[in-house]
Amino acid sequence: MNVLREAKRLLENNRRTTNGYQYTIPSAEHYPYQWLWDSCFHAIILAQYDAKSAKAEIVSLLSKQFENGLVPHIIYWQPGILHLFRWGVEGTSSLTQPPMIAYAAWEIHRRNPDGAFLESIYPALLAYYTYLIEKRDPRDHNLIGVINPDETGEDNSPRFDAPLSAAADISYADHLALRTQLVEHNTACKFDAELCMREFFWVKDVPFNAILIENLRALAHIASFLKHGDGEHFANLHAELIADSMRERLFADGVFWSASGKDYSLLKVATWAHFAPLFAGLYTPEEANALVETHLMNPDTFNAPYGIRTVSKQEPTYRAGGYTEGFSWRGPVWMSPHWFIYRGLLRYGFKKEAAQIREKSLALLEKSGFRECFNPETGEGQGAKGFTWGALVLDMNDE
Ligand code: GLC
C-alpha cells in the first residue's frame, strides 16, 4: 500500500458538504460529524496540496461559534445518525477541544499566503481565545481549565480518573456515563464554565495548555501580519503568562503534570502529556534531553515496539488492548500524540528520534491500516476504521 497516497484518498472520501459548508469527517462509520481538533489536523494536512479545502474546514468549524466565543467540539451537520447527541445543544456540542485553530490557520497561510482569508476569520479566532482566557480561568492564575475530559480530546485518559472518581478498571460504558453526567451538570449550570468548574470538574490539563500556548503564538503571528497590534500583544502576553504558570504550578520531578481543583493537586499519572510541552518549547534543552532519554525512549515506560504509548506501561491503568467496545486513551498509540511529539522533537533538534516516530507511524499504517488507535505491543488496529488521523504522517517532515 502506498500510505501517503491512501492518506490523501481517505481525506477525500471523508469530505462532506452540508448547507454550503465543506468539512471532513474523522471516520464514515464511527464519526460522521465535524470535530474541532480533527478539522484542524485535516486543515494542516490539506494546506500542503489543497488550500481551498483547508480553508473550508476552518470556515465550517467557526460557523457554529457560540455568542460567548466558544467553538464547539462537534458540529452535528447531519443529525440523527449516532448516539453522540449526548454532548449537544441544538446541533452542536457544548464543550470545546484542544484549541488548534490558530495554528491550523497560520499553517494554511504559511504555505499559501492569503491575508483576506486571515482577516475574514480573525474576529472569530480572537473571540475564541479570549473566551478561553476569560472564562476558563476564574482566579486569573493563567491556567486554562477544562470542564470535561472530552475537551482534551483524550476522553478516557487515566489522567482524569481521580477528578472523575473512576476506578482503574472502570468499563467503557461506566466511564462514558460519568462524562455524560458532567454534560448534564454543565447544562444545569447554564453553560457557566466558571461555576461548573468550581462545582464539578476542573482540570488544568498539560496538553490543552501547551497547545493553547503554541496557538496563542500563532494568533500573535496572524494579528501581527494583519497589523492588529492589540491582538498581537494580547496573544503574546497570555502565551507567556500561561507558560510561566505551567512552570510554577505544574512542573515537578523534571516533567509537567496536569492538576485538579482549587488547590492544584497534581494528577500524578504518567501519560504522553509529559511530552506535549515539547510542542510549545516549554522545557529547557537540558530538561528535554533528560525527558527524551529517561521517558520517551524508555521501552519500560513509553517507547513501545509500535510507537509511543499514551500511558506509561508502569501505570496500573495501562491497557495495551483498550476496550473491546471501542477506542481507548489508556495506553494505545494514537497518531495525533505522535504528530505533536514529532513536531516537539524537531523543535529541539532531536532528528533521529523524530524520524523514528515517523517510521513507526508509517509502519503501523502499513500493517493495520487507518485505524483510530493501535496496540503498542502488537501493532493491531483498534476502534474506528478509515480514521483520518493517520494522514498526519503527511505532515511528519521538516518542510
Ligand atoms: C474520539 C477521540 C477524540 C476525537 C473524536 C473524533 O472521541 O477521543 O479525540 O476528536 O474521536 O475523531
Side-chain angles (χ1 to χ4, degrees):
M1 151 163 90
N2 180 328
V3 168
L4 300 181
R5 202 172 51 218
E6 282 301 312
K8 289 186 182 175
R9 190 181 308 168
L10 178 60
L11 286 191
E12 214 175 295
N13 286 345
N14 285 9
R15 186 171 297 158
R16 301 286 182 274
T17 302
T18 310
N19 305 333
Y21 286 103
Q22 185 187 306
Y23 54 95
T24 307
I25 57 174
S27 155
E29 181 191 325
H30 272 80
Y31 298 111
Y33 308 125
Q34 182 175 19
W35 265 261
L36 194 157
W37 73 336
D38 302 65
S39 262
C40 296
F41 301 144
H42 303 149
I44 290 165
I45 301 157
L46 289 165
Q48 295 183 13
Y49 59 92
D50 182 357
K52 201 161 161 261
S53 295
K55 290 176 203 169
E57 201 85 25
I58 301 295
V59 169
S60 304
L61 189 58
L62 293 173
S63 69
K64 301 287 182 190
Q65 182 167 34
F66 288 16
E67 244 166 56
N68 68 4
L70 177 138
V71 177
H73 96 294
I74 310 174
I75 302 178
Y76 304 104
W77 286 108
Q78 289 164 318
I81 318 175
L82 278 185
H83 52 289
L84 287 166
F85 252 105
R86 60 178 180 257
W87 310 117
V89 286
E90 294 174 13
T92 72
S93 113
S94 56
L95 307 173
T96 192
Q97 241 185 355
M100 281 295 290
I101 313 176
Y103 182 103
W106 185 242
E107 182 65 6
I108 295 171
H109 176 75
R110 187 177 74 81
R111 292 184 185 270
N112 319 270
D114 184 350
F117 166 68
L118 288 183
E119 192 68 77
S120 70
I121 61 168
Y122 178 73
L125 289 184
L126 187 62
Y128 177 46
Y129 291 97
T130 303
Y131 161 81
L132 291 175
I133 285 161
E134 290 188 350
K135 297 290 180 213
R136 296 304 190 93
D137 179 22
R139 290 182 299 173
D140 292 330
H141 283 173
N142 303 307
L143 283 178
I144 304 312
V146 290
I147 56 174
N148 191 307
D150 290 75
E151 292 202 315
T152 69
E154 293 178 63
D155 317 358
N156 63 1
S157 167
R159 285 208 298 291
F160 312 116
D161 282 1
L164 278 177
S165 306
D169 60 352
I170 189 168
S171 74
Y172 183 85
D174 287 349
H175 200 283
L176 186 58
L178 290 175
R179 286 146 48 213
T180 311
Q181 200 178 47
L182 286 177
V183 177
E184 282 156 20
H185 290 321
N186 192 20
T187 313
C189 293
K190 303 209 175 357
F191 308 106
D192 179 336
E194 295 189 10
L195 182 66
C196 222
M197 287 191 297
R198 282 199 168 101
E199 297 277 324
F200 303 109
F201 183 93
W202 184 7
V203 169
K204 277 69 72 159
D205 194 44
V206 169
F208 193 98
N209 279 277
I211 289 168
L212 175 60
I213 290 169
E214 199 55 8
N215 274 266
L216 284 170
R217 293 182 186 135
L219 180 64
H221 290 314
I222 294 171
S224 162
F225 177 82
L226 297 173
K227 302 202 170 23
H228 295 304
D230 287 357
E232 182 187 358
H233 174 74
F234 165 84
N236 275 329
L237 173 70
H238 285 281
E240 219 171 291
L241 289 171
I242 298 169
D244 289 348
S245 194
M246 282 184 73
R247 164 98 16 205
E248 186 190 333
R249 295 174 192 278
L250 305 184
F251 189 74
D253 314 324
V255 290
F256 290 89
W257 305 91
S258 300
S260 177
K262 292 190 183 73
D263 57 356
Y264 293 90
S265 43
L266 294 183
L267 300 167
K268 287 215 165 176
V269 184
T271 69
W272 85 278
H274 291 340
F275 311 121
L278 294 169
F279 178 69
L282 303 180
Y283 287 108
T284 66
E286 294 72 29
E287 288 164 357
N289 273 330
L291 178 77
V292 169
E293 205 175 303
T294 21
H295 297 289
L296 188 71
M297 289 294 126
N298 183 348
D300 295 329
T301 54
F302 288 100
N303 193 12
Y306 287 89
I308 304 299
R309 300 180 183 99
T310 43
V311 175
S312 163
K313 202 178 176 182
Q314 303 303 321
E315 289 291 341
T317 44
Y318 176 70
R319 299 283 181 278
Y323 289 110
T324 46
E325 299 96 323
F327 67 81
S328 167
W329 284 94
R330 297 170 93 81
V333 171
W334 289 71
M335 287 295 174
S336 87
H338 263 202
W339 177 82
F340 282 109
I341 297 169
Y342 176 91
R343 299 243 70 95
L345 289 171
L346 278 195
R347 178 174 196 138
Y348 284 84
F350 293 108
K351 288 198 172 170
K352 187 168 60 81
E353 291 79 0
Q356 215 182 88
I357 294 202
R358 180 175 191 272
E359 291 313 313
K360 286 193 177 179
S361 304
L362 287 168
L364 268 180
L365 298 173
E366 286 278 356
K367 181 179 161 68
S368 301
F370 286 76
R371 296 298 299 271
E372 187 170 5
C373 51
F374 305 86
N375 184 315
E377 319 304 331
T378 65
E380 186 198 343
Q382 301 168 11
K385 294 184 178 142
F387 191 70
T388 51
W389 291 14
L392 282 167
V393 290
L394 289 166
D395 195 55
M396 291 188 197
N397 53 49
D398 47 13
E399 282 159 25

